[in-house]
Amino acid sequence: MRARLKIHQKIMIAAVAAVTMLLLLAVGVFAYDDAQKDQIAPGISVGGVDIGGRDADSARKIIKNEVVAPLKEPVVVRFDDRDYRIGPKRLNTTADIDGMVQEAIDRSREGTILDRVSRYASGSVVNEDLEPRVDYDPAAVQSFVAELAEDINQDPVNASILPSAGGNTLRPESGKPGIALNEDEMYDQITEAAATPGRDAVVEATVTKTPPEITKKELAKEYPRVITIDRATFTLRLFKKLKLKKKYTIAVGQAGYDTPTGLYTIQTKEVNPTWYVPESDWAGDLAGQVIPPGPGNPLVARWMGIYNGAGIHGTNETGSLGSAASHGCIRMAVPEVIELFDKVEVGDSVYIQ
């Protein structure tokens, strides 16, 4: 009986000891875990900056110096060897350092207490790179991108034709593609750079090239008929599909009433035109009058208006052809002006040299 009692007592003592040890172990585990509550697990970083194995205060200093301080550098956007900068003052950049530290601690404390103690004991790491808690003014980025677009964007240039000196030939000129900034993509790249610590690379502006509406191959179709006028040789030339078809002798404006130079188009066409006499000193008593078709009208047979009262018309004064004799208009022999009239359309190009 006494032997059984002794055995029972030993069992009780052992059980109490075991429970005591478990309690002590649990208390130790909880105490150790509590001691780690402000510690950041190894392997955790913020924006690529390692803060693992640090306490909260140490991590806060690292984030301030290595995450936030570099954000004071401007974001640099480069296009065609030119740099554009937007700084933190304009961006109104702010950083939540305490929030970054707390997020790192919360990530370190994830899982059960046993998970954490096991990690502490094994020395395993938490591979986690947290996003920096950086804020900025989206409107400032949008405004900056709009300024970039205004400076970078270029409209495409259509292919064109250029008469040679004297208007003997038409030389095709290649067009140029336009440039359009990819504004949505630039917004994303700039905001990403604004929140990236230690950035040392510029943001390359991304653009889309926009083709011209008229290419060199389309010039003959775009310019089915072209007139060139060489005042020096008193010659009008008609081109069809960029090929010379015929040339005519003309009269041009006399000194002081010069035929205007430049690129124009045929704006109007009229058979047996009415002459609306300009209010000009050279018109004398006719100034401001309306002269119907007939003997008193110098605009004979046909009229092709070009610019500001100047145009191509027939004349009975054939002796003036081959000279500077008009008050700005281009004179032609009547049969030739009728022929030309029937071969051109409103909108056709007229180059005057």
Side-chain angles (χ1 to χ4, degrees), residues 248-289:
Y248 305 91
T249 299
I250 58 173
V252 297
Q254 58 188 273
Y257 302 102
D258 301 276
T259 299
T261 59
L263 170 62
Y264 304 97
T265 60
I266 295 177
Q267 298 179 345
T268 59
K269 290 178 64 181
E270 189 176 351
V271 175
N272 297 322
T274 298
W275 181 32
Y276 297 89
V277 185
E279 293 284 356
S280 181
D281 292 341
W282 63 260
D285 294 339
L286 294 177
Q289 295 189 33

Side-chain angles (χ1 to χ4, degrees), residues 226-227 237-240 243-246 340 343-344:
V226 176
I227 291 173
R237 293 177 175 85
L238 174 65
F239 293 81
K240 285 192 174 182
K243 302 293 185 182
L244 178 62
K245 291 301 178 181
K246 193 160 185 179
L340 179 66
K343 291 181 178 181
V344 297

Side-chain angles (χ1 to χ4, degrees), residues 28-106:
V29 167
F30 276 103
Y32 183 73
D33 183 58
D34 185 64
Q36 300 295 315
K37 65 182 180 181
D38 287 332
Q39 289 291 124
I40 296 169
I44 290 183
S45 58
V46 176
V49 176
D50 184 17
I51 58 171
R54 307 275 184 170
D55 61 26
D57 288 340
S58 177
R60 189 174 287 106
K61 292 178 181 178
I62 293 174
I63 291 173
K64 180 179 179 181
N65 294 331
E66 299 185 32
V67 176
V68 177
L71 296 178
K72 295 180 180 179
E73 295 297 320
V75 176
V76 180
V77 178
R78 179 169 296 162
F79 178 75
D80 199 20
D81 296 328
R82 181 175 177 184
D83 290 345
Y84 304 82
R85 289 176 169 80
I86 180 169
K89 184 175 182 181
R90 180 174 177 181
L91 284 169
N92 194 23
T93 304
T94 58
D96 182 5
I97 297 177
D98 289 338
M100 288 184 259
V101 172
Q102 188 59 52
E103 184 179 1
I105 291 174
D106 291 343

Side-chain angles (χ1 to χ4, degrees), residues 144-190:
F144 179 64
V145 170
E147 292 171 9
L148 285 176
E150 184 176 356
D151 196 69
I152 292 173
N153 289 357
Q154 296 178 21
D155 292 331
V157 177
N158 287 330
S160 61
I161 55 174
L162 185 66
S164 63
N168 294 308
T169 59
L170 297 177
R171 183 175 72 245
E173 294 284 315
S174 298
K176 294 182 180 179
I179 297 174
L181 183 72
N182 298 329
E183 296 189 35
D184 290 342
E185 187 173 341
M186 288 309 306
Y187 180 91
D188 293 340
Q189 290 182 359
I190 291 169

